[in-house]
């Protein structure tokens, strides 16, 4: 089955075509990747945070899992779709002690994680203790345990990967959003922009550490256009002159572009130091911006409006009551409930993407049209992503 999305030629200059079939007839060669190791925040957390702090309730997971499944979405995330496309089970969270299968990778991402350490004066409360540095240490410990297990020549079934898997894996890094957004209300854009070079520097340092562990293929997802997020449009001060024709915040999205340009340039420089590595800059910013600006061109109905929220109106977001919660506001019980048609929305809860948007993004990543340098997975034996393989 082939999905086609006609993107605006004036904006994107491409047609995003991704072949996703069960047959190997579409494959040019056998895919060399045997696992995915993911580092990130709630945009790619498959249950790590809720394994550490169990509390998630519906309507999260309503579209695919039919129950809360540790995702900050109505269904699958980008990393879920990537794993399914490559024929892997969904990535088990590193923090999940029961039911985990690490033969095809592990997921270190947790909700509210940051790139920089959270125990500095830069960060407000509500940030996860599992920063990128902690996630890297978890990965190092995981590799030690895998090496020790295989060094003892143990036999029998195991849910650990083969000892040589680390050089045959894709390392995905989808993190940085919380470093950007968590302090906007306190120190503003100008204050946030002062430490963004540190964020980029920490990401590059992490890649070099993973390279030393054997990693050779890295997909680094840039920062999304947060100025189109319903949560920021409602929660951050702005005036009408700061809203573009698509309803997004101009100043905040401009700051994101500055960060993304910095990240792209530093990855370019890092390729000189790591000539044997594939350091791929993935421009999900462009993909999501297109969806927010022209939702109806891609099968959606709503851009900067949350499916799961309260308040209705242009954004359907209320910072006093988040998705799935009930609270007394002005003497009245109100619930932030989900819409009946999340597939028509880009934004799930005002902060995170819907499964439909995540699927759209994944198809573009697989196609490679938004990668610098160009990087495609279409030579792999791709599996149908609309069916669970677990």
């Amino acid at each position: 089955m082939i999905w086609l999305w006609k993107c605006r030629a004036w904006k994107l200059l491409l047609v995003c075509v991704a072949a996703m079939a069960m047959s190997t007839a579409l494959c040019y060669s056998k895919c060399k990747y045997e696992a995915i190791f993911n580092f990130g925040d709630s945009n790619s957390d498959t249950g790590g945070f809720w394994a550490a702090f169990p509390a998630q309730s519906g309507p999260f997971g309503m579209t695919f899992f039919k129950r809360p499944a540790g995702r900050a979405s109505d269904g699958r995330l980008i990393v879920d779709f990537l794993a399914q496309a490559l024929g892997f089970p969904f990535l088990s969270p590193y923090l999940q002690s029961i039911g985990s299968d690490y033969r095809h990778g592990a997921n270190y991402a947790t909700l509210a994680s940051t790139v920089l350490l959270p125990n500095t004066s830069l960060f407000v409360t509500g940030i996860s203790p599992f920063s990128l540095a902690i996630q890297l240490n978890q990965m190092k410990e995981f590799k030690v345990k895998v090496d020790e297990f295989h060094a003892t020549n143990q036999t029998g079934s195991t849910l650990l990967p083969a000892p040589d898997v680390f050089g045959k894996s894709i390392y995905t890094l989808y993190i940085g959003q919380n470093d950007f957004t968590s302090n906007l209300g306190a120190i503003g854009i100008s204050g946030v922009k002062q430490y963004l070079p540190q964020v980029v520097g920490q990401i590059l340092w992490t890649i070099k550490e993973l390279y030393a562990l054997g990693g050779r293929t890295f997909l680094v997802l840039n920062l999304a256009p947060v100025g189109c997020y319903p949560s920021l449009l409602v929660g951050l001060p702005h005036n009408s002159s700061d809203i573009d024709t698509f309803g997004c915040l101009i100043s905040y999205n401009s700051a994101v572009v500055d960060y993304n340009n910095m990240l792209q340039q530093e990855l370019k420089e890092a390729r000189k130091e790591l000539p044997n590595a594939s350091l791929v800059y993935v421009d999900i910013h462009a993909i999501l911006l297109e969806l927010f600006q022209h939702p109806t061109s891609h099968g959606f109905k709503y851009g900067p409006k949350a499916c799961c929220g309260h308040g209705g109106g242009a954004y359907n977001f209320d910072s006093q009551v988040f998705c799935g919660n009930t609270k007394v506001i002005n003497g009245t019980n109100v619930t932030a409930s989900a819409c009946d048609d999340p597939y028509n929305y880009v934004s799930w809860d005002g902060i995170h993407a819907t499964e439909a948007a995540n699927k759209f993004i994944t198809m573009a990543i697989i196609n490679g049209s938004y990668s610098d340098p160009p990087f495609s997975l279409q030579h792999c034996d791709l599996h149908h992503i609309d069916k669970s393989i677990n």
Side-chain angles (χ1 to χ4, degrees):
M1 182 177 180
I2 298 177
W3 290 271
L4 299 176
W5 290 294
K6 295 183 179 178
C7 302
R8 294 173 175 260
W10 62 269
K11 182 70 175 177
L12 302 177
L13 304 177
L14 51 87
V15 175
C16 308
V17 182
M20 301 294 294
M22 292 300 293
S23 171
T24 59
L26 296 176
C27 306
Y28 299 109
S29 62
K30 181 175 175 59
C31 190
K32 66 179 181 180
Y33 302 112
E34 297 181 2
I36 298 174
F37 292 98
N38 180 68
F39 305 82
D41 51 33
S42 55
N43 291 303
S44 60
D45 181 0
T46 55
F49 183 87
W50 299 113
F53 309 102
Q56 193 183 37
S57 60
F60 291 94
M62 58 181 279
T63 295
F64 182 79
F65 300 100
K66 309 303 181 185
R67 58 177 174 77
R71 278 83 167 163
S73 177
D74 61 307
R76 290 164 290 183
L77 309 177
I78 295 170
V79 69
D80 288 318
F81 283 122
L82 284 175
Q84 280 194 287
L86 292 172
F88 304 155
F90 293 135
L91 292 189
S92 293
Y94 179 77
L95 296 175
Q96 181 174 284
S97 59
I98 298 175
S100 291
D101 182 346
Y102 300 117
R103 288 173 293 179
H104 294 284
N107 192 358
Y108 302 94
T110 63
L111 181 150
S113 287
T114 54
V115 173
L116 300 180
L117 292 172
N119 59 345
T120 71
S121 59
L122 290 175
F123 293 100
V124 297
T125 58
I127 293 299
S128 168
F130 302 105
S131 67
L132 183 57
I134 299 299
Q135 294 179 27
L136 173 62
N137 285 339
Q138 291 172 333
M139 175 66 191
K140 290 179 178 180
E141 179 66 12
F142 179 79
K143 186 177 185 302
V144 168
K145 296 299 183 184
V146 169
D147 290 342
E148 288 178 347
F149 177 85
H150 290 289
T152 59
N153 297 315
Q154 297 186 42
T155 60
S157 61
T158 176
L159 296 178
L160 294 177
D164 61 347
V165 76
F166 301 101
K168 301 176 182 179
S169 301
I170 295 175
Y171 294 77
T172 51
L173 293 94
Y174 189 8
I175 192 168
Q177 180 172 302
N178 294 311
D179 297 85
F180 188 94
T181 61
S182 63
N183 298 289
L184 284 174
I187 60 178
I189 297 176
S190 59
V192 169
K193 290 177 72 172
Q194 290 182 14
Y195 65 80
L196 291 181
Q198 299 176 46
V199 174
V200 173
Q202 184 68 20
I203 290 175
L204 269 295
W205 179 83
T206 301
I207 290 173
K208 293 173 184 177
E209 290 290 298
L210 292 171
Y211 181 88
L213 295 180
R216 291 298 180 268
T217 302
F218 301 90
L219 301 187
V220 185
L221 282 62
N222 67 3
L223 195 61
V226 297
C228 298
Y229 283 11
S231 59
L232 269 69
L233 284 161
V234 170
L236 292 179
H238 61 274
N239 52 51
S240 58
S241 63
D242 197 27
I243 299 291
D244 64 21
T245 56
F246 303 103
C248 299
L249 292 164
I250 298 171
S251 56
Y252 296 100
N253 275 350
S254 295
V256 168
V257 170
D258 291 341
Y259 168 83
N260 286 342
N261 289 339
M262 187 190 317
L263 176 62
Q264 186 175 22
Q265 181 59 37
E266 290 303 312
L267 284 170
K268 181 179 179 180
E269 294 298 320
R271 293 186 193 110
K272 300 174 184 177
E273 298 181 48
L274 307 174
N276 295 323
S278 295
L279 304 183
V280 183
Y281 172 84
V282 183
D283 192 5
I284 66 162
H285 177 276
I287 308 169
L288 268 173
L289 189 63
E290 172 68 16
L291 291 184
F292 278 124
Q293 292 180 343
H294 309 289
T296 57
S297 297
H298 306 288
F300 296 84
K301 288 184 179 180
Y302 308 102
K305 182 177 182 178
C307 162
C308 186
H310 171 259
Y315 308 122
N316 191 37
F317 182 85
D318 187 337
S319 59
Q320 297 182 82
V321 53
F322 292 103
C323 174
N325 292 333
T326 298
K327 189 175 181 180
V328 177
I329 300 178
N330 297 325
T332 303
N333 271 349
V334 298
T335 299
S337 56
C339 62
D340 295 327
D341 56 343
Y343 50 83
N344 282 322
Y345 291 74
V346 178
S347 178
W348 162 243
D349 58 0
I351 304 170
H352 308 97
T354 58
E355 174 176 288
N358 284 326
K359 178 180 177 181
F360 189 98
I361 296 168
T362 307
M363 304 305 287
I365 293 174
I366 290 172
N367 176 259
S369 300
Y370 293 86
S371 300
D372 176 29
F375 177 86
S376 173
L377 290 171
Q378 288 185 317
H379 67 286
C380 296
D381 182 6
L382 299 177
H383 291 239
H384 201 297
I385 62 177
D386 280 335
K387 293 182 180 179
S388 174
I389 57 175
N390 287 346

